[in-house]
Amino acid sequence: MVEAGAERVADGVHAEPLLDDDKAYRFQLVCVGSGSVRVVFKPASAGQKATVPCDGAVAQQRLTVSEPLRIDVDGGKGSTGMIAWQIDTV
């Protein structure tokens, strides 16, 4: 595990993990509650934007970085619950 966290959907996740350039990582996120959350990576080339339902299912995708990364996860209108996320090396 490289980095992880848990936040309320209302607060969202706003992280700038320190990752090595040109290495592959796996980003995993789970939201438990109601509604959905939107995941955005900056730069956009690091990973794909996604909408994840707050149904307890784990969503994951591969990340590659070549510059500093920012991850933003924000709840949709009326969404409630908790978000847990983790980054692992591949």
Side-chain angles (χ1 to χ4, degrees):
M1 178 180 68
V2 176
E3 193 163 335
E7 302 290 341
R8 293 181 302 188
V9 169
D11 295 335
V13 174
H14 307 287
E16 295 179 357
L18 298 174
L19 305 178
D20 294 329
D21 290 350
D22 301 319
K23 243 184 162 177
Y25 296 91
R26 180 178 56 232
F27 175 77
Q28 298 179 77
L29 179 134
V30 63
C31 181
V32 177
S34 64
S36 62
V37 294
R38 179 127 173 111
V39 183
V40 177
F41 300 98
K42 295 176 189 165
S45 60
Q48 295 182 337
K49 289 189 253 183
T51 300
V52 177
C54 292
D55 61 2
V58 177
Q60 63 181 347
Q61 67 173 283
R62 188 179 180 110
L63 300 178
T64 53
V65 296
S66 59
E67 58 187 275
L69 175 67
R70 179 171 173 89
I71 301 169
D72 289 305
V73 182
D74 293 299
K77 186 173 183 170
S79 296
T80 61
M82 293 295 295
I83 303 165
W85 61 278
Q86 179 173 315
I87 298 173
D88 297 302
T89 55
V90 175

